[in-house]
Amino acid sequence: MTKKALTATKKKHKLSGRYKSREREAYAMIILQLIGFFVFSIYPIMWVLGKSFFDYDGVDQTFIGFENYIRAFTRDTAFWKSVLNTFIISYGKLIIELPLALLAALLLTNKMIKGKKLFSVIFYLPKVTGVAPACMIFAFIFATVNGLVNNALISIGVLNEPVAWLSSRVGATAVIMIQSIWGGFAANVLYFMAGVANIPEDVMEASEIDGANKVQQFFHVTLPMLLPVIKVVLLLAMVGGMQIMNEVLLLTNGGPGDSTNVVMLHIYKMYFAPAGKPEYGYASALGVITSIILGIVTFIYLKFSKKADEVM
């Protein structure tokens, strides 16, 4: 072997050793994330899927095949009522929440508005406030006796006597939706603010030169350019809406009756069964069914949004 060839071979081995060292460093950096992913994501999913075929109470388990799924689809009307309540509460509030969040984002990105930083902090306060204290505040605001809302409405003559807001289906659902809007409003404002900030100023200036007023600018420039952000925000809100539970648990516990019971609270009650024996196997089956429902809803939304993109 010539001296030149020997030098080239040494360089090749040196580079190969360097690449292997970098590969080992890369694997070392991601190994903890992979372990966490398998331990906290893959394993729980497989555990729930496996237990859904058993009658399991935490101590004894008996293989029963698809009996849990048959029970859910044929006999558990409370579960499907909770699914309907979830759609009403989580998706109904989006009709109010998203337009308000977009309006707030437009105001906070307007150069003519002063004190934008202060308003941004105020809008984000609900996000950093815990769910438990927030629900305590709303329970006090909508209390039947000495509640702020009742006192205010009686003082201006709208009501003659206090209303038990949390004792009727309509009133309790409205209170839960208001609290949920208050808690999730800030994140959507931030998403929309980021989208508005990315709209090129020259596009807005060109529309002004063409004679467009503020309303025309919003519908023909701002809104079309925000569509990608709106689609992401809507998808996140739909997925997050199916997971609503804490607000319902703390404000009404699914009452009155089961009129505000949501799907995650229904599964939670099956798992922990404060009034009886826990049903881990059946609750696991309900979790699998809920995941499938969420997957179907997400798939339909993505198909519709894709068709909307093709039309536009």
Side-chain angles (χ1 to χ4, degrees):
M1 184 180 290
T2 63
K3 186 176 180 181
K4 187 175 182 180
L6 184 61
T7 303
T9 304
K10 286 181 178 180
K11 286 183 177 180
K12 184 177 180 180
H13 284 302
K14 189 175 180 180
L15 288 172
S16 177
R18 187 179 298 173
Y19 287 136
K20 288 182 179 179
S21 176
R22 289 181 177 177
E23 283 184 4
R24 287 193 292 269
E25 290 176 2
Y27 285 124
M29 293 175 68
I30 66 172
I31 189 66
L32 292 178
Q33 285 83 354
L34 287 175
I35 292 173
F37 175 71
F38 280 102
V39 171
F40 298 109
S41 295
I42 300 299
Y43 173 73
I45 291 172
M46 299 306 297
W47 188 93
V48 168
L49 186 60
K51 294 302 179 185
S52 68
F53 297 101
F54 288 84
D55 180 10
Y56 179 49
D57 62 0
V59 179
D60 300 318
Q61 65 177 7
T62 305
F63 181 77
I64 56 175
F66 289 95
E67 179 58 33
N68 284 327
Y69 293 96
I70 294 172
R71 173 185 169 186
F73 281 103
T74 60
R75 301 193 297 275
D76 192 355
T77 57
F79 170 69
W80 296 105
K81 185 177 179 181
S82 71
V83 173
L84 178 61
N85 290 337
T86 303
F87 281 114
I88 292 173
I89 293 173
S90 60
Y91 297 158
K93 74 185 184 70
L94 296 181
I95 300 173
I96 301 172
E97 181 179 336
L98 294 187
L100 283 178
L102 179 56
L103 177 61
L106 292 173
L107 292 174
L108 291 174
T109 52
N110 193 322
K111 295 179 180 179
M112 303 296 292
I113 302 295
K114 295 183 179 180
K116 290 185 288 186
K117 291 184 178 180
L118 175 62
F119 285 113
S120 298
V121 172
I122 293 173
F123 282 141
Y124 202 74
L125 278 177
K127 197 65 179 176
V128 297
T129 304
V131 176
C135 288
M136 290 177 63
I137 293 170
F138 272 82
F140 171 71
I141 292 173
F142 289 95
T144 305
V145 180
N146 292 326
L148 295 180
V149 173
N150 276 331
N151 289 344
L153 294 177
I154 290 173
S155 65
I156 61 177
V158 176
L159 295 177
N160 294 322
E161 57 184 18
V163 174
W165 299 101
L166 297 175
S167 298
S168 66
R169 177 178 182 176
V170 175
T173 301
V175 173
I176 293 169
M177 290 175 67
I178 293 170
Q179 199 282 328
S180 183
I181 291 171
W182 184 80
F185 178 74
N188 292 327
V189 171
L190 290 180
Y191 292 138
F192 286 132
M193 285 179 66
V196 173
N198 285 325
I199 297 177
E201 290 188 8
D202 54 350
V203 175
M204 303 300 292
E205 292 173 357
S207 64
E208 288 182 4
I209 294 172
D210 289 338
N213 56 36
K214 294 297 181 182
V215 176
Q216 291 171 329
Q217 281 183 335
F218 173 75
F219 284 105
H220 297 289
V221 180
T222 304
L223 200 58
M225 298 192 76
L226 280 178
L227 279 181
V229 178
I230 293 173
K231 287 193 296 184
V232 172
V233 169
L234 191 56
L235 179 60
L236 293 175
M238 290 172 63
V239 173
M242 287 294 293
Q243 301 172 12
I244 186 172
M245 189 194 81
N246 293 331
E247 298 90 338
V248 182
L249 175 64
L250 294 169
L251 285 171
T252 66
N253 196 27
D258 286 329
S259 60
T260 60
N261 195 31
V262 290
V263 64
M264 288 301 174
L265 182 58
H266 186 77
I267 295 173
Y268 170 85
K269 290 178 179 178
M270 289 293 174
Y271 259 113
F272 296 99
K277 187 176 75 171
E279 299 184 70
Y280 296 134
Y282 182 58
S284 298
L286 295 183
V288 174
I289 294 171
T290 303
S291 299
I292 294 172
I293 292 172
L294 182 57
I296 293 172
V297 171
T298 304
F299 176 77
I300 293 172
Y301 170 75
L302 291 176
K303 290 291 288 184
F304 271 103
S305 63
K306 186 176 180 180
K307 287 184 178 180
D309 289 340
E310 292 174 356
V311 171
M312 296 181 65

